[in-house]
Amino acid sequence: HFLPDAAAAAQWLGKTPPAFDVLEAELAGRDYIFGDYTIADMAMYPHVAAQRDGLSAFPNVERWEQRLRLRPEVGRGMSAVSR
């Protein structure tokens, strides 16, 4: 699934991402924001990765960030962004 519900994804795709506590709650019991990997995960990842050192208070977010970091396409995308 690329985008399950545009209205539900709106908060994850905005210029100002939700706070980590919101993401933490959303990831409770899930591997990805909507359960499956979607554009919402892709959009949020750079914001989270930039603050990777401050994730210890958010274990669900920390696991999610680690999971996404291991995806080859995420590495390629982040390389393209950092050029």
Side-chain angles (χ1 to χ4, degrees):
H1 300 118
F2 194 62
L3 182 59
D5 178 354
Q11 73 170 331
W12 306 106
L13 303 177
K15 289 182 179 181
T16 304
F20 282 173
D21 59 337
V22 175
L23 181 57
E24 177 73 13
E26 197 68 34
L27 290 168
R30 298 180 180 178
D31 287 341
Y32 301 103
I33 294 171
F34 287 105
D36 293 321
Y37 183 66
T38 68
I39 195 168
D41 299 287
M42 296 174 216
M44 280 297 298
Y45 182 77
H47 300 288
V48 175
Q51 300 178 55
R52 184 178 299 140
D53 294 336
L55 297 180
S56 61
F58 306 97
N60 294 329
V61 176
E62 189 170 43
R63 284 189 296 274
W64 173 84
E65 187 279 327
Q66 292 167 352
R67 188 176 303 111
L68 266 67
R69 188 173 358 128
L70 296 175
R71 295 179 70 102
E73 65 273 18
V74 171
R76 287 191 301 272
M78 292 300 288
S79 294
V81 169
S82 65
R83 290 183 191 167

